[in-house]
Amino acid sequence: MTSHATISIEPAGIRWQAMLPVVAVVVVAGFGLLSSDYVVTVLGFAFIYTIFCTGLNFFMGYTGQASFGQSAFAAIGGYGSAILCADYGWEPLLALFATMALSGVAAVIVGFPTLRLRGHYLAMATFALGLIVYEVTIEWTGLTQGYMGYSGIPPLGIAGYELVTVKQQLVALVVLALFGVAVAARLRQSRFGRALASIAGSESAALALGVDIARYKLVAFVIAALYASAAGSLFAHFIGFISPEVFGVTMVVQSFAMLYLGGIGTMWGPTIGAIIVSVLPEALRGLKEMQDIGYTAILIFILIFAPRGLAGLSALFGRVRGRVKEAA
Amino acid sequence: MALLSVREETMRFGGLFANQSISFDVEEGELLAVIGPNGAGKTTLFNVISGFFPPTSGSIQFDGKDITGAPSHQVASAGLVRTYQLVQLFKHLTVAENVEIGSHRVTRGGVFSALFRPEWMRKQEKNVCEGARELLRFVGLEHQADLQADKLPYGRQRLLEVARALAAKPRLLLLDEPAAGLNTQETEALADVITRIQRGGTTVILIEHDMSLVMKIAQRIVVLDFGKKIAEGTPDEIKAHPDVIAAYLGGTETVDA
């Protein structure tokens, strides 16, 4: 009789659970809107990184491949948007889509030869990609103004209406981040998403079931690049200034910390990770010189007790709840 | 016409002939076993047939088409699906998801249908989900559907791999030592599943070491030794074949003769 009760309760429970992260994100954003512009800026970064990591999660989480070079596509998005909007007066949204298309094409061109590599070799090749684009942003001063950076980038807007305050922009970023997560979730729960997961699980089994793994890897790589590019463009509009360091190795390291902390391969892991890794150092500012130590100590603590990321914990809670229900 | 015909298939690794001029046919609906001592070239034969590497020479015809040297995902798409000697599950996914992925070959849709979820796509998803449950029932795993795949006991992982391959609705199923590492009861459960697969109209080729299993369920047997086909026939013929007895009990001189 218990099994019957469980079945009737389960669907409502799943729906409630699925909505919980959305509520959490809205609460975090709401908290930001009631705080200073400084807090808003930190949260803005968090949601930009949410988009970046959600894309990276396609390639590294769902498909199980390594890319150390996604910052390259963020740079294309960031510099593309900066140049098109500041110098040529493009609509920010139009520039966002145009640079996404450009990043997508670049990802196909780069991905086609490099995705034949696996594991560490693929990591090295993609890392080189990130470094090359980083060098280009420094050296090609005619296009990027080098170390000087690019300023005067207009804020996000649509059809002449600009989001002038950072709070308005934060709202836009939250909406876009949630949209990005929703798209990722939809793609994962489909034949396409299952094919990606099969590659992460076992390439030989995927092949034996007729999955064209070279093609699916490339598509996952391109999707990750599209997200990265959008994140780069949004960064440019949000801060109004970009320089080569923004899209350097730090970006890669940050995004990895976010992915693993939040839970790689999960729907909400990138969001959770992005928010925690962005907010935590700021929250620990009171510790003064102990700030970095406190921050890393918490990261290590989380990874010890939640080795599969914080999003993995919810599954654990779900199981405990399930057991309690069975016992009842 | 035969569903699969292997003609003069030779696979050489450097100086080693893993397979040497092997020819045989598999008729539609048949259950054929490939046996032979360790290192006889059975798995190499499977790897060549399923497109994991092209043969050094010879040809493979499947369903009237030449599939020699075609990449493995294309061979699978054509309806020739294999399993592996070492279990290759998608360990991080649930039992049900493993089987759902199996339906890749017989479903369609990519990024756009996943995003916009047209009517046919929703219907297909429902069918995939129900089909997976049905297959899990077929192999007796219906109660473990939501368990993570690597939490299954080994014997059941084998059954899951078979269910996943069946989700691809293969015309020809290649099973590479499915009973390896199974106990007597598990082997019996597996034998029952394989027999039911074949009765359901799917052609099966089975590599197996477990002689009692082979003799019980196979209709025809091909025997390999040192990369060559040394015998072919019904279980009774094979049991009495002098070369087979020699290969299994020693005395390789009869093989070379």
Side-chain angles (χ1 to χ4, degrees):
Chain A
M1 74 291 159
T2 43
S3 70
H4 180 75
T6 318
I7 288 161
S8 60
I9 291 164
E10 213 61 335
I14 286 164
R15 228 172 291 141
W16 173 80
Q17 247 177 322
M19 285 314 288
L20 195 64
V22 178
V23 175
V25 165
V26 171
V27 167
V28 168
F31 166 77
L33 292 177
L34 298 173
S35 314
S36 68
D37 280 1
Y38 170 70
V39 175
V40 172
T41 308
V42 171
L43 286 177
F45 281 147
F47 290 114
I48 289 169
Y49 262 109
T50 297
I51 294 171
F52 185 84
C53 293
T54 300
L56 189 57
N57 194 33
F58 261 97
F59 193 63
M60 292 189 53
Y62 298 156
T63 321
Q65 307 300 304
S67 174
F68 286 58
Q70 287 317 102
S71 57
F73 301 111
I76 293 177
Y79 276 98
S81 281
I83 293 164
L84 289 175
C85 297
D87 290 353
Y88 296 94
W90 278 41
E91 276 275 322
L93 219 51
L94 195 62
L96 178 97
F97 288 128
T99 52
M100 276 172 81
L102 182 65
S103 292
V105 172
V108 172
I109 294 168
V110 173
F112 199 72
T114 48
L115 293 181
R116 290 158 187 270
L117 302 171
R118 284 188 203 176
H120 296 106
Y121 300 98
L122 180 60
M124 292 300 291
T126 50
F127 189 52
L129 168 70
L131 289 180
I132 290 167
V133 172
Y134 177 65
E135 283 302 317
V136 168
T137 57
I138 292 170
E139 302 295 339
W140 193 353
T141 46
L143 185 74
T144 66
Q145 304 183 5
Y147 281 121
M148 289 266 296
Y150 222 96
S151 56
I153 307 158
L156 211 57
I158 187 164
Y161 178 77
E162 278 188 355
L163 301 171
V164 275
T165 71
V166 277
K167 287 186 180 174
Q168 288 169 342
Q169 292 183 48
L170 179 66
V171 173
L173 289 175
V174 170
V175 171
L176 288 173
L178 288 176
F179 177 70
V181 173
V183 166
R186 254 176 125 77
L187 289 181
R188 171 61 186 86
Q189 283 145 21
S190 70
R191 175 177 184 265
F192 170 73
R194 286 193 294 268
L196 298 188
S198 75
I199 296 171
S202 160
E203 290 196 10
S204 31
L207 281 173
L209 295 170
V211 177
D212 184 350
I213 60 175
R215 200 175 125 241
Y216 279 95
K217 276 185 193 174
L218 186 63
V219 176
F221 188 63
V222 169
I223 292 175
L226 296 180
Y227 273 82
S229 177
S233 296
L234 292 172
F235 184 94
H237 290 299
F238 186 57
I239 304 300
F241 170 81
I242 51 170
S243 60
E245 295 86 69
V246 172
F247 308 113
V249 180
T250 330
M251 185 175 209
V252 175
V253 176
Q254 285 269 78
S255 59
F256 282 12
M258 291 165 176
L259 268 188
Y260 283 95
L261 197 76
I264 191 162
T266 62
M267 179 180 171
W268 288 103
T271 311
I272 297 169
I275 292 174
I276 289 181
V277 173
S278 306
V279 171
L280 201 54
E282 305 303 329
L284 298 175
R285 216 160 260 274
L287 295 177
K288 302 233 168 62
E289 59 272 17
M290 297 291 281
Q291 186 193 359
D292 283 347
I293 297 175
Y295 170 60
T296 43
I298 292 175
L299 291 194
I300 291 169
F301 187 80
I302 293 176
L303 286 174
I304 287 173
F305 290 100
R308 299 169 84 190
L310 290 170
L313 285 181
S314 71
L316 199 70
F317 290 141
R319 219 172 302 146
V320 172
R321 240 204 328 269
R323 233 177 268 145
V324 171
K325 218 180 278 170
E326 257 167 51
Chain B
M1 206 195 72
L3 181 62
L4 180 82
S5 33
V6 178
R7 284 286 162 272
E8 298 291 316
E9 183 266 327
T10 296
M11 186 71 219
R12 215 178 67 198
F13 296 107
L16 175 82
F17 283 91
N19 288 168
Q20 205 172 345
S21 313
I22 294 177
S23 300
F24 64 92
D25 285 337
V26 184
E27 300 299 329
E28 183 110 46
E30 195 179 13
L31 204 168
L32 175 88
V34 177
I35 64 168
N38 281 325
K42 305 183 295 291
T43 296
T44 301
L45 177 66
F46 262 27
N47 283 339
V48 170
I49 293 174
S50 59
F52 276 74
F53 29 71
T56 312
S57 63
S59 73
I60 319 290
Q61 301 258 331
F62 176 64
D63 198 17
K65 280 184 292 270
D66 185 29
I67 57 161
T68 319
S72 44
H73 68 89
Q74 271 176 27
V75 173
S77 300
L80 199 163
V81 177
R82 70 171 294 182
T83 66
Y84 292 88
Q85 201 169 2
L86 299 169
V87 179
Q88 294 277 348
L89 290 177
F90 308 128
K91 291 181 187 155
H92 62 304
L93 303 176
T94 66
V95 167
E97 272 180 299
N98 266 272
V99 182
E100 285 168 12
I101 289 174
S103 64
H104 186 85
R105 180 180 101 79
V106 287
T107 48
R108 63 198 177 101
V111 171
F112 289 98
S113 63
L115 265 187
F116 300 108
R117 309 256 157 181
E119 178 65 32
W120 64 261
M121 157 90 179
R122 290 200 299 271
K123 209 160 145 198
Q124 177 180 285
E125 283 294 298
K126 202 166 150 255
N127 289 341
V128 164
C129 187
E130 283 167 3
R133 299 275 156 172
E134 208 167 289
L135 281 170
L136 287 176
R137 219 170 298 133
F138 181 77
V139 299
L141 286 175
E142 68 271 31
H143 297 301
Q144 281 93 5
D146 297 318
L147 204 66
Q148 195 170 308
D150 61 352
K151 302 282 187 296
L152 281 180
Y154 183 74
R156 302 198 150 219
Q157 293 190 11
R158 284 276 179 204
L159 289 174
L160 174 56
E161 205 175 20
V162 172
R164 186 180 65 186
L166 286 178
K169 300 200 170 81
R171 297 201 52 202
L172 174 59
L173 179 63
L174 304 183
L175 298 172
D176 193 351
E177 291 198 31
L182 301 191
N183 64 31
T184 328
Q185 281 170 318
E186 288 168 333
T187 305
E188 252 165 50
L190 183 81
D192 173 54
V193 167
I194 297 172
T195 315
R196 281 188 285 137
I197 291 170
Q198 188 246 342
R199 281 197 197 129
T202 307
T203 315
V204 180
I205 307 184
L206 171 75
I207 289 181
E208 195 43 71
H209 271 301
D210 189 322
M211 277 307 145
S212 60
L213 173 68
V214 169
M215 295 301 167
K216 196 166 85 186
I217 66 175
Q219 296 169 325
R220 218 152 51 83
I221 298 175
V222 165
V223 189
L224 301 187
D225 191 29
F226 291 109
K228 289 182 192 153
K229 185 175 93 172
I230 58 168
E232 181 178 344
T234 64
D236 287 335
E237 286 164 3
I238 294 300
K239 267 186 235 172
H241 200 289
D243 286 352
V244 178
I245 295 166
Y248 273 88
L249 299 179
T252 43
E253 65 278 359
T254 47
V255 179
D256 291 334

